[in-house]
Amino acid sequence: QDPVGEIVSGSTARSGIRILKKRVPFGVVGMIYEARPNVTADAIAICLKTGNAAVLKGGKEALYSNQAIAQAAIEAGLRAGMPAGAVALITNTDREATAYLMTLRGYIDVLIPRGGAGLIQAVVQNSRIPVIETGVGNCHVYVDASADLQMAADIVVNAKVSRPSVCNAIENQFEFPTFRMT
C-alpha cells in the first residue's frame, strides 16, 4: 500500500481548523553506506516507495555490485514510469566525494548513514544536511530448538568474532534451557 498521503491522525481545533498528520516525502534522500550492496537495492526501493529521489554513495569494496544493482533498478524504474534522475549512484570512491556530498544542503533534503559507528559519527559530525542517525545495529541470532547445536555455536561465534566492528556483527546472546553460549 502506498504510504504517501496517508493521514496518520488528526483533530479539529476549537476554531474549527482541521489539523492532520499526513505522510509526505522528504524530497531527495542521500544515503552513505559501507560495503553492503544489498543496501543499494533496499535504499532505492524504500526511497521510491515513499516518493523520494535517492542519491546513493556506497563503499568502494562493492562499487561494481552497486553499479549493476543501481543500473538494473534504474532501467526497470524508467520502464515503469519513474522520472529520469530519481535515482543516482555516486561512483567516485574518494573520501573527498563523501565529504562534498555532506555539504549539498539545498540539493539533498536528508542524509542517512548506514554502517558502523565510525561512519555514522563522521556523517553526524560533518554533515551540513539534516541527518537521520541510525543505530549501529542490534543484530541477533535465533537458534531453534531443532537446530544442530554445534553448527549454531559455530555460526554465533563467527557472527561476532570474525569481524566484531562491522554493523552486522551480533551484539546479543540468548540463553535457552538446552543451549548456553559462554
Side-chain angles (χ1 to χ4, degrees), residues 4-171:
V4 177
E6 179 183 345
I7 296 173
V8 178
S9 62
S11 62
T12 303
R14 287 184 192 163
S15 63
I17 295 175
R18 181 117 169 99
I19 302 166
L20 300 175
K21 182 176 180 182
K22 186 176 180 180
R23 292 194 171 136
V24 298
F26 286 113
V28 179
V29 175
M31 293 206 54
I32 299 174
Y33 50 100
E34 295 171 334
R36 303 257 182 266
N38 63 297
V39 176
T40 301
D42 294 347
I44 291 170
I46 291 168
C47 286
L48 294 178
K49 180 68 176 177
T50 56
N52 295 290
V55 175
L56 309 174
K57 174 71 172 73
K60 66 180 180 237
E61 304 83 0
L63 176 62
Y64 298 122
S65 296
N66 289 338
Q67 287 176 313
I69 293 165
Q71 188 60 39
I74 290 167
E75 289 173 8
L78 291 172
R79 283 194 305 274
M82 174 183 82
V87 174
L89 176 71
I90 297 170
T91 58
N92 182 330
T93 60
D94 295 337
R95 288 185 183 261
E96 293 79 24
T98 304
Y100 181 69
L101 176 65
M102 291 188 274
T103 69
L104 295 176
R105 187 178 193 114
Y107 297 98
I108 297 176
D109 298 296
V110 65
L111 199 54
I112 303 172
R114 184 181 183 281
L119 171 71
I120 293 169
Q121 284 309 307
V123 173
V124 168
Q125 291 171 2
N126 297 305
S127 181
R128 295 186 188 156
I129 301 167
V131 175
I132 296 176
E133 185 175 353
T134 60
V136 293
N138 192 11
C139 303
H140 305 270
V141 172
Y142 169 77
V143 179
D144 190 78
S146 66
D148 175 330
L149 296 184
Q150 184 56 54
M151 181 186 288
D154 292 344
I155 290 169
V156 169
V157 169
N158 181 60
K160 183 60 181 180
V161 176
S162 65
R163 293 185 64 205
S165 64
V166 296
C167 62
N168 64 337
I170 64 167
E171 288 108 13

